[in-house]
Amino acid sequence: MSSDGGVFLPQEIIRTKRDGGQLSDAEIERFVQGITDGTVGDGQAAALAMAVFFQGMDIGERVALTRAMSRSGSTMQWDRADLNGPVVDKHSTGGVGDKVSLMLAPLVAACGAHVPMISGRGLGHTGGTFDKLESIPGYQTQPDNDLFHKVVAEVGCAIIGQTSDLAPADGRLYAIRDVTATVESIPLITASILSKKLAAGLDALVMNVTFGSGAFMTDLGRAEELAHSIVDVAVGAGLLTNAVLTDMNQVLGHTAGNALEVRETIDWLTGAGDDPRLTEVVLALGAEMLVLGGLAADLESATSRLAAARADGAAAERFQQMVSALGGPNDLVENPTSYLRSAAVTQRIDPDRDGYVQAIDTRSVGLAVVALGGGRMRVGDAIDHSVGLGDVVGLGEFVDHDRPIAVVHARTESEASMAAAAVRAAFTIGEAKPPPSPVVASRISG
C-alpha cells in the first residue's frame, strides 16, 4: 500500500516523471522505501533514474529525495554533553592528488570543531581518502560506532570509511546508476551526497566542488550548477551548507598516490613542505567550516586561526592523536618513513623538450597512477599503496633535464616506463608561460 492508503505502483511514479510531472513527497518517500526493502526492482529503479536524468527534479523534489534516502538506514546521534564545539564536515567531488581531507580534519579540529569525516574509496582516475588511510599500518578505517564517536569527541576528528548502514537506499541506487549511464544527473548526485551527510547528524557542511581536466565535472558551468543544487537542497533539508568551487586542471599538491600523499600531508602539517595552491584550498574550506560552525566571525579571522594552528603544531598533533586512537603508529608524524611503504623502483619523467607547462590532461595523470596499481577501475580491485607520482610540476612551471615533470614510484622498471610515457603525453610543454589561474574560483553561500 502507498502512504495515502492506495496501492503502491512503482510504474505510475515512473510514468509521472517520464512525462515531466512533479512527484509528491509521499510518492518519493514510498519509492525510496521500495528501493530499500526490495519491493522496487532494479529495472524500476533504473527507469526512474533515467526519467530523472532527462526530466530533472525541482528543488522540492530533490529535498524530498534527499530526506527519504537519509532516513533509509541508521542516523548518527551526537551526545552534545561529550562535545566542546560544533559538528562540521567537508565533502569533495574529488580529483587527482586531492589529499585535502587528511589536512583539513585535524586542522579544523585544532580550532575547536568536531569533524566526523566518512570517506570513500577511489574509483576511476580519482583517488579516495579511504585508500590513503589504508597505507598507514594498523589504522582502522572501519571502526565500530562506539570507537568512532569516542575519537570524534576526544580528539576532535576521525576519518573513516563508508558504512553500509548509512543511507542504504543511496548505495543500491548508486550501483544501479553506475551501470545505466545515469551517474551524471545533478538531482541524483545531490541526493546521493547529501543523504549521507544528513544521516551523519552534522551542524554544518562545506562542499568542495571541483572542475577541470582532473575533476568529475570538467566544465565550470556544470560544476556551478551542482554546487548551487547542493547548497539549495541542503538548506531546504535543514543543513547549513556553503560551497567552494576549486580548479582541478592540475594535480593538487606535488604527489598522486596513497602513501606518497600521506607523506605530503605530514610534511604540510609539520611545515616541512608546502604547495601554495593546496594551502589555499585547505584554508578556504577550513575558514568556511569555522564560520558556519560559529567558531569565527568572518573568513579572514578564520583563516588566521587556521594558519596559527598549523604553525604552532596543533594540527599535526591532532593528526597524530587521530592515527594513534584508530590503531596506527604512535610516532607516524615523527617517523613517517618507518611506516609508509616505498616503491621498489623510482624513475624520472624527463620532458621531450625544455619549456613551460602550458596544459595538463590531469585525468590521464590519474589513470597512470591507477595503471601502476595505485587505484582501481572496478570495485574490489586490490591497491598497491606505495606506487604513484612524486615531485609533480604544475601549470606555468619550467621543465628541462634538471627539473623533470615528475618522478614515478613503481613496482617494476617496465611499469615505471609505461607510466612515464603516459604522464609525459599528458603534459603540454611550450615556450610561452601561461597566465596563472585562481585555484578558488567562487564561493556559494546557503
Side-chain angles (χ1 to χ4, degrees), residues 297-339:
D298 52 52
L299 295 176
E300 184 178 357
S301 61
T303 302
S304 297
R305 190 169 177 186
L306 293 162
R310 180 192 179 199
D312 67 14
E317 183 179 355
R318 294 291 177 128
F319 181 81
Q320 179 60 71
Q321 289 173 350
M322 177 185 74
V323 169
S324 299
L326 289 168
N330 291 324
D331 58 343
L332 177 67
V333 169
E334 186 179 351
N335 299 302
T337 54
S338 299
Y339 301 104

Side-chain angles (χ1 to χ4, degrees), residues 121-122 131 258 341 373-376 381-386 411:
R121 294 186 181 277
D131 302 316
N258 298 293
R341 285 183 54 218
R376 59 177 64 81
D381 285 354
I383 279 184
D384 186 329
H385 294 96
S386 69
R411 293 173 290 202

